[in-house]
Structures are given as structure tokens and as C-alpha cells.
């Protein structure tokens, strides 16, 4: 997350959870928390800051998003138009809490996936060229 000259970077050990109950909830938690599951230490402008924590929770009241408590391969809340599930996003530190509301969630491939695909295509093109020539 970046804004007003501040960059917040997540830890390498965030906590992700799925609850498949009377309502389905996906939670992503990073940073130390006083109660419940927690992630590692986030960084602010490249410096570890144990006062910063992140919570993302998206709930489907109809309980149709998940079939069990396993993390999904595809994120079920992505789509257009926004399916209208209740949602929460907060980022907190000693100075207060930033609350945001989602209008749209879109699933995009990780940058490494695109790089790997392009590298593979380039290797295939090179091999094909060597075979011809």
C-alpha cells in the first residue's frame, strides 16, 4: 500500500483463513494482533513496525462462496459487477485505523506467472529457431 510518501509492505508470513459456516468468510490478516490469529511484522517505508496491522474480511451471507474451510484456488468474490457481499478492510497503527470499502474485486495473475509464461515462450521460440537453422 502506498500513499502520501508512505509505503506499507506486508510480512512474509500473513495469515489467511476461510470459514464455511452459516455465512462464508475469507480473512487475510497481517501484523501482530492483541487477540486471535496474526501475521508477521509489516514494514513502513522499509522499516519493521510492530504497531501496524492489516485485516481484510469478506463475507457471503448466503454461504455460497466456499464448499469447505480450505483456501480456494480461485478467489470466489472476484467478478464484475461486484456481488454485493458485506466487506471490511482496515489498516491500523498507533495513530488510528484506516477503514476502506471495496467497490470491485478482480483476480489478476501474479507477476511471476506472466514472467514465467513469457520466459517459456521465448525458450520455445529460441529452440524452434535453432532446430530450423
Amino acid at each position: 500500500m502506498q500513499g502520501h510518501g508512505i509505503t506499507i509492505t506486508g510480512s512474509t508470513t500473513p495469515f489467511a483463513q476461510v470459514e464455511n459456516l452459516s455465512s462464508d468468510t475469507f480473512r487475510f490478516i497481517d501484523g501482530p494482533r492483541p487477540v486471535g490469529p496474526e501475521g508477521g511484522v509489516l514494514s513502513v517505508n522499509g522499516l519493521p513496525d510492530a504497531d501496524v496491522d492489516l485485516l481484510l474480511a469478506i463475507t457471503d451471507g448466503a454461504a455460497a462462496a466456499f464448499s469447505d474451510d480450505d483456501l480456494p484456488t480461485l478467489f470466489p468474490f472476484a467478478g464484475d459487477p461486484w456481488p454485493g457481499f458485506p466487506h471490511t478492510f482496515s489498516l491500523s497503527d498507533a495513530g488510528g485505523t484506516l477503514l476502506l470499502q471495496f467497490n470491485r474485486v478482480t483476480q489478476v495473475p501474479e507477476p511471476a506467472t506472466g514472467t514465467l509464461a513469457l520466459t517459456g515462450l521465448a525458450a520455445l521460440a529460441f529452440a524452434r529457431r535453432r532446430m530450423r537453422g
Side-chain angles (χ1 to χ4, degrees), residues 7-101:
T7 301
I8 299 175
T9 307
S11 77
T12 58
T13 56
F15 176 82
Q17 175 186 46
V18 166
E19 285 183 356
N20 181 31
L21 301 169
S22 58
S23 61
D24 290 351
T25 301
F26 170 80
R27 285 188 186 82
F28 183 88
I29 298 167
D30 206 359
R33 297 176 57 86
V35 178
E38 62 182 343
V41 175
L42 286 83
S43 295
V44 178
N45 293 334
L47 300 173
D49 189 335
D51 289 332
V52 179
D53 68 80
L54 171 82
L55 166 66
L56 166 67
I58 301 176
T59 301
D60 170 16
F66 305 111
S67 59
D68 55 35
D69 288 342
D70 293 336
L71 290 175
T73 303
L74 296 174
F75 193 64
F77 297 109
D80 194 18
W82 171 257
F85 303 123
H87 44 277
T88 305
F89 175 84
S90 70
L91 182 64
S92 301
D93 68 7
T97 301
L98 170 69
L99 296 173
L100 301 172
Q101 182 175 17

